[in-house]
Amino acid sequence: MKRRLVWIGACLMAAFSTVAVLQSAYAATGCRVEYSVTNQWSTGFQGSITVTNLGDPINGWTLTFAFPDANQKVTQGWNAGWSQSGATVTATNAGWNGTLAPSASVNVGFTGTWSGANPSPASFALNGTTCNGTAATPSASPSSPAPTTDPWSPPSDLAGPLDRVWAHQEETYSNLYGFRNYGWDQLVANSGTVNYCVRWDSTAHVTAAQRDAVHATLQRQYQKWMDQMLDNGQGWNGWPYRQVPVKVVGWAVRDRAQLEWTDASVDVYVNNIRENAPQCGEPCGRFFHQDGNYSGCPGGAAHHYDQSLWLTAGFQGGAGGDWGQRIGSEYYMSNLSAENVHILLHEIGHTYGLDDFYDWDPTPGRGFIMKAGSATQITEFDKWMLRDFWRHLKSRYGL
């Protein structure tokens, strides 16, 4: 696996910093872009772009850049609408991330193809303004109101139900505060990334294109939960991560011939059967090594996995926990382009400690993703349940 990080600026300094001021009579503009190749193999790669607004507030954005090589092509992406004409790539905000406050950032990602060479783009533009890398002079518009001193400010009609949910968890979880392998713990241990193994519990074959789509869909759905921890691109209540890269480091399968690729972009585990299903090696799994000791993992800690995406043929419904998520392989593969893979979203919620609601409903008639079958996307109530977990656990991380 190769990883590259490129800071785009007017010139490349030892500290990767640049200086520029762009302004108009009506609004100050300025932006910074961080471009990285987070994974690369013989014919494809995964790119990540973080854009930071260094000017006045933006409501609606378009990012443009040009690939230096004619063989570099975007095949699919997330967190933005993607298109490519010749060498020029355009990413337009999604419906939920179009507003960028001053100093706020947004992360977008894509998978692409290449051959011969895979150089980084030389420059980027946000809404037509070249991103040169440092803060612009602020305009004379009124300053934003100071943030509230108490970050716990859910909608008033949700405050009571949220209190009841937390009280219920305190009563029913056997080790609510002492458990140390929530998704929160995994993210902090990895400095804001999460590694996955795909347990391919099916006899179907998987092409390289399908593999990449499996990865991209997982990234897109995972980020939907992470975005609930942001307000205008900034972390809520000390949340330190704007974008959480999801890295699929391994696939587990019964028969290597089922995987129709020959590149070494992921580790492949063959016929390592646990729970009557293929599993990536236990020496590499956080579930089995919560002390972080991966000395027995081939390739070391970089090849460890925190969670498993367990895709089982004929499986109905789902399951989730600190070990990962299990859903039907047919369901997942038929929803690779879906905006919301709602069963997966529900199960990721369990990884972060959120409860099931089969026997009671704190918001009768409203529906939310953690009440199975009542919603197909993350709701405001889900968001504040997630935030409630964070505010109760964050002190363990010194934040």
Side-chain angles (χ1 to χ4, degrees), residues 73-88:
K73 305 290 184 185
V74 170
T75 55
Q76 60 183 323
W78 49 91
N79 294 347
W82 291 87
S83 63
Q84 182 170 351
S85 177
T88 302

Side-chain angles (χ1 to χ4, degrees), residues 214-294:
V214 166
H215 298 184
T217 298
L218 180 60
Q219 170 74 74
R220 190 172 63 249
Q221 300 302 306
Y222 211 96
Q223 187 61 37
K224 285 180 178 291
W225 273 114
M226 300 299 97
D227 287 339
Q228 307 310 309
M229 297 301 298
L230 303 178
D231 284 331
N232 294 321
Q234 300 299 309
W236 178 84
N237 193 15
W239 176 247
Y241 311 118
R242 294 187 180 93
Q243 168 77 8
V244 172
V246 174
K247 304 175 184 177
V248 179
V249 297
W251 276 67
V253 67
R254 285 185 170 85
D255 183 352
R256 179 61 179 86
Q258 291 177 257
L259 305 181
E260 298 179 356
W261 64 82
T262 58
D263 62 66
S265 61
V266 295
D267 298 323
V268 176
Y269 298 82
V270 179
N271 209 30
N272 180 39
I273 305 300
R274 301 289 188 273
E275 304 165 297
N276 198 34
Q279 178 178 281
C280 289
E282 291 183 7
C284 299
R286 179 184 165 92
F287 183 82
F288 310 102
H289 298 277
Q290 295 180 29
D291 60 355
N293 181 1
Y294 301 111

Side-chain angles (χ1 to χ4, degrees), residues 220-221 224 331 335 337-343 345 369 376-378:
R220 190 172 63 249
Q221 300 302 306
K224 285 180 178 291
Y331 166 78
N335 281 279
S337 299
E339 178 65 24
N340 293 284
V341 185
H342 69 274
I343 297 178
L345 290 172
I369 199 73
T376 59
Q377 60 186 11
I378 298 171

